[in-house]
Amino acid sequence: MRKTIADDPMYQETTKAITITVEPNYLDDESEPDDFHFVWAYHITIENNGGETVQLLRRRWHITDSNGNVQEVRGEGVVGEQPILEPGESFEYTSGAPLSTPSGFMVGSYLMISENGATFDVSVPAFSLDSPYQPSAVN
């Protein structure tokens, strides 16, 4: 079966010339709906469209399930790395999120530092986590 663009939504936001693009994907093979275990992968691209080199130091996520339960996740870097992006460079990674409900959403931010030592937050756009087992999505 061929996927269409509508099958894989894409979310994008730019803060201070840093563009974050998120593409979530429901993982049917890793999910067990009968056991209330639903898993998504999300692919993130971080693009430095500015004129300065920046480094991603920390991440912060708010993960909300369809019952309104919120989990906050904070940590150093992403997938074990603190990537340095020169002007025009990008960094991509894939991670995952499990929920006990068939839908929810995530939103977050990255703490960045510029080459002159200034720190700033970059917004990660809110994105939906929707499984085919949910008759109507939360978002």
Side-chain angles (χ1 to χ4, degrees), residues 9-81:
M10 186 170 62
Y11 303 84
Q12 192 171 74
E13 188 165 342
T14 300
T15 308
K16 295 189 182 221
I18 307 298
T19 300
I20 308 297
T21 304
V22 184
E23 297 177 71
N25 184 32
Y26 180 71
L27 300 178
D28 201 54
D29 291 350
E30 294 186 32
S31 299
E32 295 290 338
D34 292 341
D35 294 331
F36 303 100
H37 183 72
F38 304 88
V39 182
W40 289 263
Y42 53 90
H43 184 80
I44 295 190
T45 303
I46 304 165
E47 298 174 86
N48 182 359
N49 299 308
E52 280 192 282
T53 299
V54 298
Q55 181 176 17
L56 188 155
L57 298 176
R58 300 183 57 78
R59 71 186 181 286
R60 186 184 78 218
W61 291 107
H62 285 110
I63 306 166
T64 306
D65 69 19
S66 58
N67 292 328
N69 299 312
V70 180
Q71 177 185 3
E72 183 175 27
V73 177
R74 292 175 178 259
E76 298 290 319
V78 291
V79 294
E81 296 186 50

